[in-house]
Amino acid sequence: MHPTLAGDLSRFPELLQSARDFAAREVAGLAERPVAAAGPAPARAPLPEDGAGGDAAIARFAERWAPGFSGSAGPRYLGFVTGGATPASVAGDWLTSAFDQNLSGAGGSWAADLERETVAWLRELFGLGEAHSGAFVTGATASNTVGLAIGREWLGERLGVDVSHAGAAALGPVDVLSGSPHSSVPKAMSVLGIGRDRLRRVPLLPGNREAVDVAALEAELARLEGRPAIVVANAGTVNTVDFDDLRAIAALKDRYDFWLHVDAAFGGFAALCPEYATLVDGLDAADSVCVDLHKWLNVPYDAAVQFTRRRDLQVKVFHNASPYLGLPAGEPDFLHLTPENSRRLRALPAWFSLVAYGRAGHREIVERNVALARRLGAGIDALPGLRLLAPVRLNVVCFTLAEDPTEDRIDALARAVAGSGEAYVTPTVYGGVAGLRAAFSNWRTSEADTERVLGVLAAASS
Ligand SMILES: *Cc1c(COP(=O)(O)O)cnc(C)c1O
């Protein structure tokens, strides 16, 4: 064994302690760390020829790189839909690496059954029935891709084509209908050989809504004259957190032939709160469902879950057995369910957080985030320099400059807010108007944080 490696082996516990101490200092300072890195990253260092050992690696990381890492896990980083990492989930994440299990198959370990237990808990948390099975993937983009891949295989079943063998081209043109799809949907369509141009945008409800007009969707389906299609319903849009009427869309399945995929990346968490659960009524009727976990469950990157009612088709797409051995029977190993073969025990941080805080603890995060978003929305509404672009429906505040909201002025405002180190919001375009989004999804965010965000926005927009 190389001497530095042997040295680290002999003092592995001390190295972990050093990492723990460093992490503890960083986490303690997280709420006051600037939200965004200032200045350029350091120049690239040459590949180390002689290793310096684990302690030196921590020291070098602390000196060269950590100072430029963002405070995105902190309470006032409201860009995108980011979330943080609960204490127990960080502990679970560390242990994932310490145990370093490969979840491709059972491999002499109980780890795959822990993932199955976690998936079953999540299924219950989001109000799905036992007909849905699931697996962990890296994020909502991967989850949407897997859901649409199963949908593509289903189209083959309807048309008498074996897509996993014949290829997507054998289907001919595929129709994917959606009202306000996330950008990851056309990306998935590109990956799957369906093609980005096959996305048909269905008109939205009138009156400042991002939810699909179900009557317009029905008209589009009728125009297909019986040709099967894929419908992507959206439960929680990124600008205004609007929800498609999932029940009404699912009811169309009686008359039209389509695969229903629901992108509930963060909107799925409405199911945790009795007050908001009606927003995702009908989710269980979906053929496939995407929910992100590194957003509102507040587990570390990268984690999401995908659910489907048609695991048989999922196995057709993703199975990794030799074709002449046939498809796996019984409970399939995870390598037959998702794009990866070898995969980490991504479920463990989520398992830890659910054990540590339960449904009630996670419900409280969602309820508090929504209350704070409404509070910021009311505050912004009262500022002379800003105006809301939409009512605050759940956890995102979408707003713009009261006057002359050009893209340049909005970008400058976003930069000024980030430059203060106090808060982070991201530019968007909503209804053709450039604006900003403040998305609440972090477990740490408090009323005091929200006041600080409002203060920075008031100063930067006056
Ligand atoms: C964030 C998001 C995605 C993509 O999620 P990643 O985890 O970044 O891949 C997809 N859909 C919606 C609605 C989202 O909010």
Side-chain angles (χ1 to χ4, degrees):
M1 194 183 283
H2 188 281
T4 37
L5 185 58
D8 273 0
L9 173 60
S10 69
R11 42 182 315 284
F12 205 166
E14 289 82 0
L15 180 63
L16 291 179
Q17 186 63 40
S18 303
R20 188 221 82 98
D21 293 345
F22 176 50
R25 278 196 303 280
E26 290 297 315
V27 163
L30 184 57
E32 296 310 320
R33 164 194 270 285
V35 290
R44 251 178 232 174
L47 168 69
E49 187 54 47
D50 288 311
D55 273 323
I58 291 177
R60 212 166 293 176
F61 169 66
E63 185 207 323
R64 285 188 69 223
W65 290 104
F69 278 21
S70 74
S72 60
R76 293 181 310 285
Y77 192 96
L78 308 180
F80 315 100
V81 179
T82 300
T86 60
S89 74
V90 173
D93 199 57
W94 286 5
L95 291 172
T96 300
S97 293
F99 279 91
D100 194 26
Q101 304 287 287
N102 183 357
L103 268 278
S104 62
S109 173
W110 291 354
D113 285 311
L114 184 144
E115 176 163 338
R116 290 188 185 102
E117 174 171 277
T118 314
V119 168
W121 289 353
L122 291 166
R123 178 172 65 196
E124 195 178 331
L125 194 67
F126 301 123
L128 300 174
E130 305 233 323
H132 278 278
S133 63
F136 271 71
V137 288
T138 51
T141 301
S143 181
N144 280 333
T145 304
V146 171
L148 293 185
I150 305 168
R152 187 187 62 177
E153 199 66 30
W154 174 86
L155 289 173
E157 184 178 80
R158 302 301 295 155
L159 297 169
V161 175
D162 184 343
V163 179
S164 88
H165 286 278
L171 286 173
V174 168
D175 296 288
V176 179
L177 312 179
S178 190
S180 301
H182 186 266
S183 54
S184 58
V185 169
K187 175 171 172 169
M189 292 167 67
S190 165
V191 170
L192 295 170
I194 293 172
R196 295 175 192 260
D197 290 351
R198 298 306 302 174
L199 179 62
R200 299 260 203 91
R201 295 211 173 232
V202 182
L204 307 176
L205 289 174
N208 204 359
R209 296 290 305 272
E210 287 189 294
V212 75
D213 179 341
V214 178
L217 176 63
E218 173 160 16
E220 294 269 352
L221 288 166
R223 261 196 284 284
L224 297 177
E225 294 177 334
R227 206 165 68 239
I230 295 175
V231 171
V232 176
N234 302 292
T237 55
V238 291
N239 275 333
T240 71
V241 200
D242 210 343
F243 289 76
D244 288 353
D245 184 339
L246 302 179
R247 263 203 198 298
I249 294 172
L252 294 176
K253 290 184 112 197
D254 292 344
R255 274 164 291 151
Y256 306 95
D257 206 18
F258 62 93
W259 178 265
L260 176 56
H261 174 77
V262 180
D263 181 354
F266 67 96
F269 284 81
L272 275 65
C273 311
E275 204 183 334
Y276 313 125
T278 52
L279 294 169
V280 286
D281 256 0
L283 186 64
D284 186 49
D287 298 298
S288 53
V289 176
C290 152
V291 189
D292 230 334
L293 302 176
H294 51 220
K295 288 176 178 167
W296 228 349
L297 194 69
N298 278 269
V299 298
Y301 292 101
D302 42 17
V305 64
Q306 60 75 220
F307 296 102
T308 184
R309 290 173 163 273
R310 290 297 307 271
R311 191 160 68 185
D312 58 324
L313 294 178
Q314 180 170 14
V315 169
K316 280 193 75 185
V317 180
F318 292 104
H319 77 91
N320 194 47
S322 309
Y324 46 82
L325 290 179
L327 298 180
E331 181 87 50
D333 284 336
F334 283 109
L335 87 165
H336 301 305
L337 296 176
T338 64
E340 307 84 7
N341 280 357
S342 298
R343 42 205 289 287
R344 72 193 258 109
L345 181 49
R346 207 164 262 126
L348 194 57
W351 187 94
F352 262 66
S353 209
L354 291 170
V355 169
Y357 315 116
R359 194 200 297 256
H362 281 279
R363 179 195 310 138
E364 190 277 336
I365 296 172
V366 173
E367 284 172 347
R368 174 159 41 93
N369 285 158
V370 173
L372 294 175
R374 291 189 176 157
R375 189 184 172 101
L376 183 71
I380 285 174
D381 209 25
L383 289 177
L386 298 174
R387 70 183 172 89
L388 293 179
L389 278 169
V392 180
R393 293 203 179 89
L394 209 63
N395 62 323
V396 175
V397 188
C398 190
F399 60 100
T400 193
L401 285 162
E403 275 168 35
D404 199 20
T406 60
E407 231 164 273
D408 285 350
R409 292 193 71 214
I410 290 293
D411 286 347
L413 179 59
R415 275 196 306 277
V417 172
S420 74
E422 279 279 283
Y424 199 88
V425 293
T426 34
T428 189
V429 175
Y430 176 67
V433 181
L436 294 167
R437 297 168 57 259
F440 288 74
S441 55
N442 188 291
W443 65 281
R444 289 171 174 263
T445 313
S446 67
E447 285 188 8
D449 289 311
T450 308
E451 289 308 309
R452 280 171 68 172
V453 172
L454 186 61
V456 174
L457 289 174
S461 65
S462 64

